[in-house]
């Protein structure tokens, strides 16, 4: 991880769970298709340096279909059809701020503006959702959240759905703000994601801090 995250997270890379996790992923890649591709596993950290971090959006698993996962939560590679949750995110963005649905579902432009698009599990086996949960990734990403909470000020954490909202216990809410709602999945979006206006809320909070707002267009 050749970014400014490296010295912050370096202590994790020598721990027994990390060694076991990396060996497990190597074994999985030897016998299965695993997503995202190896160079994209830490893409979120490369596109969003710690120094410029403003917002954290938490996802859970990478997409498990061929060509979908690209290392950023909810994001897909250019030319890939939008999965249902991403389609609902773009619908809420249009309703909230009038931003038209983009041609591409790659959210790299958001990441480059200081939004860490972090899945809590960073790999998955093709066609097998949650297949790499409980193998060690959550230990690592929990530490990422703790480090952000401890070392940064006034970060906006976006917690969509029960899994993400459970991570609130890792966040010092006296220093940071959490925007919470149900998940954008079709199973829950109509129970409170639609109409929650997270994008305008994020920009309002950034503006209050005197920080450049996010250009949500892609």
């Amino acid at each position: 991880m050749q970014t400014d995250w490296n010295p912050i997270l370096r202590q994790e890379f020598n721990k027994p769970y990390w060694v076991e996790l990396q060996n497990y992923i190597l074994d999985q890649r030897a016998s299965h298709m695993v997503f995202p591709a190896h160079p994209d596993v830490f893409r979120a950290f490369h596109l969003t340096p710690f120094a410029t971090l403003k917002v954290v959006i938490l996802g859970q698993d990478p997409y498990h279909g061929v060509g979908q996962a690209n290392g950023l939560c909810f994001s897909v590679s250019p030319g890939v059809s939008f999965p249902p949750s991403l389609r609902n995110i773009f619908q809420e963005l249009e309703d909230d701020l009038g931003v038209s649905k983009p041609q591409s579902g790659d959210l790299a432009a958001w990441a480059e503006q200081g939004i860490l698009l972090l899945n809590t599990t960073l790999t998955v086996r093709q066609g097998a959702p949650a297949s790499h949960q409980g193998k060690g990734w959550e230990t690592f990403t929990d530490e990422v959240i703790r480090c952000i909470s401890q070392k940064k000020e006034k970060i906006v954490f976006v917690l969509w759905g029960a899994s993400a909202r459970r991570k609130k216990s890792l966040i010092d809410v006296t220093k940071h703000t959490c925007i919470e709602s149900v998940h954008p999945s079709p199973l829950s979006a109509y129970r409170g994601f639609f109409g929650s206006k997270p994008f305008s809320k994020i920009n309002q909070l950034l503006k209050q801090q005197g920080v450049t707002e996010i250009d949500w267009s892609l």
Side-chain angles (χ1 to χ4, degrees), residues 9-148:
L9 298 170
R10 186 183 294 132
Q11 74 278 1
E12 298 302 296
F13 304 146
N14 293 319
K15 292 182 178 178
Y17 87 86
W18 182 262
V19 177
E20 291 173 11
L21 170 63
Q22 298 311 311
N23 287 335
Y24 173 78
I25 301 300
L26 280 173
D27 288 345
Q28 286 281 291
R29 289 195 186 278
S31 53
H32 302 281
M33 286 291 289
V34 172
F35 304 128
H38 179 70
D40 287 337
V41 171
F42 297 106
R43 186 174 181 230
F45 299 94
H46 288 279
L47 291 183
T48 310
F50 187 79
T52 58
L53 179 65
K54 305 176 188 177
V55 178
V56 179
I57 297 179
L58 283 182
Q60 191 169 3
D61 250 17
Y63 297 122
H64 55 85
V66 175
Q68 290 182 308
N70 65 9
L72 307 176
C73 72
F74 297 107
S75 175
V76 292
S77 299
V80 175
S81 298
F82 301 161
S85 291
L86 183 59
R87 198 161 53 238
N88 287 343
I89 287 169
F90 288 150
Q91 181 178 327
E92 176 61 18
L93 177 59
E94 187 168 24
D95 293 344
D96 184 4
L97 290 174
V99 176
S100 299
K101 290 184 179 68
Q103 297 296 310
S104 170
D106 189 348
L107 305 181
W110 294 0
E112 290 167 347
Q113 295 178 74
I115 302 179
L116 183 67
L117 294 160
L118 181 67
N119 277 315
T120 53
T121 304
L122 299 189
T123 56
V124 70
R125 195 167 70 242
Q126 179 183 349
S131 51
H132 289 181
Q133 289 182 12
K135 305 299 183 183
W137 279 128
E138 296 91 340
T139 303
F140 174 68
T141 52
D142 281 2
E143 184 61 22
V144 172
I145 296 167
R146 278 193 208 94
C147 285
I148 294 169

